[in-house]
C-alpha cells in the first residue's frame, strides 16, 4: 500500500530554569494513499475534450455563417446573428439537462435543440456552397453535429438512472410543489382585487348625496315615524304593517322606522321582503 508523509505539530512541555511552557514540536506521520480514481479521471478528460470540441464548433460555425450573412449585411450584425445559431441549440441542450428527471418536460427542448442544430448545420453547408466548396461546407456542418452528439452521450452517462417508481414519486412531489408555487401569485392577485373592491365600496359609502330630498313641510317628511302603540315592543312584521297602515311608502323610511321601534339590528333585505308581503296582503 502506498503512503505519503505529512508533517504535523503538537504541543509538548519544555522546561528552562525550572519554568515550564508548552511549545510546538513537529512530527511526521505516514498516511495511506487511496488508489487513483480512473473513472473520475476519464470523466474529467472527456468533459474537457467535449468543452474543447464545443468551442471549436461554435467558432467554426460562427465564422462560416457570419461570412455567409456578411454578403448582405455589415460584419458586426452578421457575426452577432451567426452566433445565435449555436447558442440556441446549446441552450436547449442545457434545458434538457435540467429536466433530465422529467421526460415529458425534457422532450420539448430536445426537439427544439435538434431543429436548431439542423438549421445551423444547413447554414454552414450553404456557406460552403456559396463559396464553391460544398464538401468543405458539409464537413464543417458535421463538426457541429459531432459536438452535439458528444455532449448528448456525456450527459446521458453522467445522469443517474431512476426507477419508474422513484420517477413517479418525484413527479408527484414536483406537481405538488409547483401547485403551491403557482398559488402564490394567484393569492397575491386575489388579495389585490379584494383590496380594490373594498376601496371602491368604501368610496361609494362615503360619497355625499348630490340631490338630497327636501320635503316641503314637516307633515310630508317620511323620517317622522307614526306614534308608537301603547301595547309594548313590536316585532319586525308588526312594525312593517304599522308603517304601511300609516301610509309610509318609502322603503328607506320603513327601514328606519322598523329599526327604531322593533329591532335595531334588523337586516334591510328582511324588512323589504316583509314590506312587499304586507303590500300584497293589503
Amino acid at each position: 500500500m502506498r503512503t505519503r508523509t505529512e508533517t504535523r505539530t503538537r504541543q509538548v512541555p519544555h522546561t528552562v530554569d525550572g519554568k515550564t511552557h508548552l511549545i510546538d514540536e513537529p512530527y511526521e506521520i505516514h498516511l495511506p494513499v487511496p488508489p487513483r480514481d480512473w473513472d473520475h479521471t476519464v470523466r474529467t478528460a472527456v468533459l474537457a475534450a467535449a468543452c474543447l470540441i464545443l468551442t471549436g464548433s461554435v467558432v467554426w460555425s460562427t465564422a462560416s455563417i457570419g461570412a455567409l450573412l456578411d454578403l448582405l449585411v455589415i460584419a458586426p450584425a452578421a457575426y452577432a446573428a451567426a452566433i445565435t445559431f449555436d447558442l440556441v441549440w446549446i441552450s436547449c441542450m442545457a434545458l434538457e439537462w435540467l429536466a433530465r428527471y422529467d421526460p415529458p418536460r425534457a422532450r420539448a427542448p430536445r426537439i427544439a435543440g435538434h431543429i436548431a442544430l439542423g438549421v445551423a448545420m444547413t447554414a454552414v453547408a450553404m456557406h460552403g456552397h456559396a463559396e464553391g466548396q460544398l464538401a468543405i461546407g458539409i464537413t464543417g456542418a458535421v463538426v457541429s453535429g459531432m459536438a452535439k452528439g458528444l455532449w448528448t452521450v456525456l450527459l446521458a452517462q453522467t445522469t443517474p438512472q431512476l426507477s419508474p417508481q422513484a420517477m413517479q414519486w418525484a413527479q408527484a412531489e414536483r406537481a405538488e410543489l409547483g401547485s403551491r408555487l403557482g398559488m402564490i401569485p394567484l393569492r397575491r392577485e386575489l388579495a389585490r382585487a379584494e383590496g380594490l373592491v373594498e376601496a371602491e365600496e368604501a368610496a361609494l359609502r362615503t360619497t355625499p348625496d348630490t340631490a338630497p330630498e327636501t320635503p316641503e313641510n314637516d307633515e310630508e317628511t317620511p323620517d317622522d315615524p307614526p306614534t308608537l302603540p301603547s301595547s309594548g315592543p313590536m316585532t319586525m312584521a308588526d312594525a312593517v304593517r304599522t308603517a304601511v297602515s300609516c301610509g309610509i311608502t318609502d322603503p328607506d323610511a320603513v327601514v328606519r322606522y322598523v329599526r327604531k321601534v322593533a329591532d335595531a339590528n334588523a337586516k334591510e333585505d328582511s324588512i323589504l321582503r316583509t314590506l312587499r308581503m304586507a303590500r300584497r296582503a293589503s
Side-chain angles (χ1 to χ4, degrees), residues 20-269:
T20 303
H21 290 285
L22 294 176
I23 63 173
D24 292 336
E25 179 185 56
Y27 68 98
E28 294 182 351
I29 62 172
H30 299 282
L31 299 176
V33 177
R36 189 178 185 85
D37 187 357
W38 288 104
D39 291 344
H40 178 72
T41 302
V42 172
R43 190 179 298 111
T44 303
V46 173
L47 178 61
C51 292
L52 182 62
I53 293 173
L54 181 64
T55 303
S57 171
V58 172
V59 172
W60 175 275
S61 61
T62 301
S64 180
I65 300 175
L68 178 65
L69 299 178
D70 191 24
L71 299 175
L72 296 178
V73 297
I74 59 176
Y79 287 96
I83 197 171
T84 61
F85 282 79
D86 281 336
L87 290 180
V88 171
W89 67 262
I90 293 173
S91 299
C92 290
M93 187 170 58
L95 293 175
E96 181 183 353
W97 162 257
L98 293 177
R100 60 191 179 277
Y101 297 122
D102 192 354
R105 292 180 59 192
R107 185 172 181 270
R110 183 184 304 113
I111 295 175
H114 286 130
I115 294 175
L117 176 64
V119 173
M121 294 175 65
T122 301
V124 174
M126 289 176 59
H127 174 254
H129 176 70
E131 296 293 335
Q133 300 291 337
L134 181 59
I136 297 177
I138 295 176
T139 303
V142 172
V143 174
S144 298
M146 294 176 63
K148 165 71 172 175
L150 178 59
W151 271 98
T152 301
V153 174
L154 178 62
L155 296 180
Q157 288 292 326
T158 56
T159 302
Q161 297 297 322
L162 297 180
S163 64
Q165 294 81 4
M167 187 171 296
Q168 292 179 19
W169 182 90
Q171 290 176 352
E173 285 290 308
R174 187 182 295 110
E176 180 180 353
L177 294 176
S179 299
R180 292 170 59 184
L181 288 175
M183 289 299 296
I184 293 176
L186 180 59
R187 291 195 183 98
R188 188 183 298 115
E189 179 183 355
L190 294 177
R192 187 183 303 111
E194 183 68 23
L196 292 176
V197 171
E198 292 178 357
E200 185 70 18
E201 291 177 349
L204 292 176
R205 285 195 299 268
T206 57
T207 301
D209 191 359
T210 56
E213 296 183 359
T214 55
E216 295 179 358
N217 51 59
D218 295 336
E219 296 180 356
E220 297 179 358
T221 302
D223 293 338
D224 295 332
T227 304
L228 295 176
S230 58
S231 58
M234 292 186 290
T235 63
M236 182 182 67
D238 293 336
V240 171
R241 285 193 292 270
T242 300
V244 173
S245 63
C246 293
I248 300 177
T249 59
D250 184 23
D252 294 335
V254 174
V255 171
R256 288 192 294 269
Y257 175 71
V258 171
R259 288 177 176 174
K260 182 176 182 180
V261 302
D263 185 3
N265 298 322
K267 295 183 178 180
E268 183 178 353
D269 294 341

